[in-house]
Amino acid sequence: MSPQERSASSAGEPAVAAVVVLAAGQGTRMRSATPKVLHELGGRSLLGHVLAAAEPLAAGTTIVVVGSGRDQVEAHLAEVAPAALPVVQEEQRGSGHAAVVALDAVPDLEGAVLLVNGDAPLLRPETVTALVAEHARAGNALTVLTAEVEDPTGLGRIVRDASGAVTAIVEERDATPEQRAIREINAGVYVGDAAALRDGLSRIGADNDQGELYVTDVLGLLVADGARVGGTPAEDPDDVLGCNDRRELAARRRTLNDRVLDRLMRDGVTVVDPGTTWVDVTVTVGNDTVLEPGTQLRGATTIASGAVVGPDTTLVDCTVEAGASVVRSHCLEAVIGPEAVVGPFSYLRPGTRLARGSKVGAFVETKNVEVGEGSKVPHLSYVGDATIGLGANIGAATVFVNYDGVTKHRTTIGDHARIGSDSMLVAPVTVGDGAYTAAGSVITKDVPPGAMGVARATQRNVGGWVLRRRPGTPAAEAAAAAERLTDAPENTGAHDDDEGRPSR
Ligand code: UD1
Ligand code: CA
């Protein structure tokens, strides 16, 4: 924290009385049915990133000006920032008009107000805090965040006088050729005194190329009044980049992702291929974890130390504990315990909880299941609505038949049980501790502890069938040759032995 930030917050008072996010614009250039500020990057909407950047200010009031797609934006706000107050701008008459509508909703508000465009997803809390601190330190009526950029195309230019003092913000379409050559731009982030803002906004006109009311015009009016106005460059110019079309959205997403990966790598995470690894801002990863290429970590995902994730793995809202590995898999709301092994090609659905050292292998789908310590579901299975004890093994191609077409039912598998390959476990059903099921069984009744559940037809071999019914085929020739060689007696059928194995 800089000395300025410390002094701004040391009083214990909120550094600003209100945060106002301008988010009513149409975002025409997105060419989308979704309002621009709801487009997503790095695990939050554009609007969500802006709100997160302002959050440490702990303002008593947060207003979001909504208009285009207001129902969608309001619903989103109710979810991500229920304390924020949506204020409707019925007609989108410009950013200045949006600011008027916001301040009219809080007529008694006094003190500093942060005004911020809703489409600045790379804005960081430290940048906002520094701007607010500088505004207070300088005793300004209005302070605007600026940046020197390589390509200022389309942005408002910061005009300064010979002494370096900011005198105006000029939109590109209204700028003179000399003004267009300026590379210091308006970030669309302002801190202003509420009274000064109200006064300035009451006097702006729409005498510009778009015929809109520009919030930026307030600055020139306040300068003309002799008020103190400042322009503070952002420490990282990336912070100020807006997002107006899908190309910019992709570019902002890339920058945001690079920032997240930089942070993870500094914290001791190995990122094998930053180019193909995507991590939301909300994710945490412990040190000595390896993220292999093609990994996507989304939402509330948390990964402990010493895990391996990827290649080609997507985790959404998952918890991965220390030393676990998840390879080429897709997992949603799953908890993967310490030292557990998942994949390749596993699909873990919500409610999956894998205990320490358990395993879910290739082509296995799980849902709403607890797999006990050291238990294994190694191959080709569906496991839904079940509790599996410790040290159990679920044979290949087992299906937990949890759905009767109307209702879901649970299956319980005891400790150290052995489920034979290709078992159908028709829920509700319980296989007791240490019990077995025979391969290929359709288990519809509980299997008591230690018992072998067998539920399949007895095998019958029809001797000589191929020679009689498929004469002249390669199979018949092979059978005839085998008979000649071994002179084997014809098989006439067999009985299962008492362990459910067919006799030969
Ligand atoms: C704006 C600034 C420009 C700055 C740029 C930074 C103005 C006039 N210009 O330009 O100086 O360099 O941001 O990215 O403000 N909005 C409303 N209601 C409206 C119109 C806009 O709420 O009637 C909101 C938009 O949702 C957006 C913000 O105001 O969040 C700015 O509007 P936008 O049209 O994106 O302005 P820019 O042309 O990007
Ligand atoms: Ca914009």
Side-chain angles (χ1 to χ4, degrees), residues 398-493:
T398 292
V399 174
F400 285 57
V401 183
N402 60 333
Y403 186 45
D404 61 14
V406 180
T407 311
K408 301 279 172 65
H409 302 280
R410 284 193 77 79
T411 298
T412 303
I413 307 290
D415 294 347
H416 301 289
R418 293 282 176 274
I419 304 302
S421 294
D422 199 34
S423 290
M424 298 290 128
L425 305 172
V426 181
V429 74
T430 296
V431 177
D433 291 345
Y436 278 52
T437 69
S441 288
V442 179
I443 300 293
T444 54
K445 293 185 207 137
D446 290 354
V447 181
M452 158 68 90
V454 187
R456 66 184 178 206
T458 301
Q459 182 172 338
R460 185 169 69 94
N461 293 335
V462 181
W465 186 94
V466 173
L467 283 172
R468 289 196 304 277
R469 304 294 294 269
R470 296 288 184 270
T473 62
E477 278 163 30
E483 251 173 50
R484 279 195 299 276
L485 272 176
T486 62
D487 197 30
E490 260 182 17
N491 284 323
T492 54

Side-chain angles (χ1 to χ4, degrees), residues 223-294:
V223 169
D225 292 345
R228 262 176 182 283
V229 166
T232 303
E235 215 166 272
D236 179 352
D238 282 349
D239 268 48
V240 311
L241 297 172
C243 179
N244 295 301
D245 61 28
R246 310 267 183 159
R247 291 161 59 245
E248 289 181 351
L249 179 62
R252 303 299 166 260
R253 182 178 288 123
R254 167 67 65 191
T255 305
L256 192 61
N257 194 58
D258 286 345
R259 283 182 174 177
V260 172
L261 297 184
D262 277 359
R263 168 169 58 79
L264 295 184
M265 290 187 280
R266 274 200 302 272
D267 290 349
V269 176
T270 294
V271 180
V272 174
D273 180 16
T276 62
T277 302
W278 293 88
V279 180
D280 283 353
V281 297
T282 42
V283 167
T284 62
V285 184
N287 71 316
D288 284 330
T289 281
V290 177
L291 304 181
E292 297 282 3

Side-chain angles (χ1 to χ4, degrees), residues 22-26 29 36-37 65 89 91-95 97-98 117-119 154-156 169 171 185-188 190 210 212 214-216 240 242 244:
L22 308 181
Q26 228 192 321
R29 287 166 281 176
K36 175 166 82 175
V37 294
V65 184
Q89 183 192 22
E91 233 186 303
Q92 280 68 66
R93 294 170 53 202
S95 54
H97 180 243
N117 286 356
D119 63 351
L155 295 165
I169 302 172
E171 291 307 297
I185 57 91
N186 166 28
Y190 322 84
Q210 293 195 102
E212 286 187 358
Y214 287 167
V215 71
T216 47
V240 311
N244 295 301

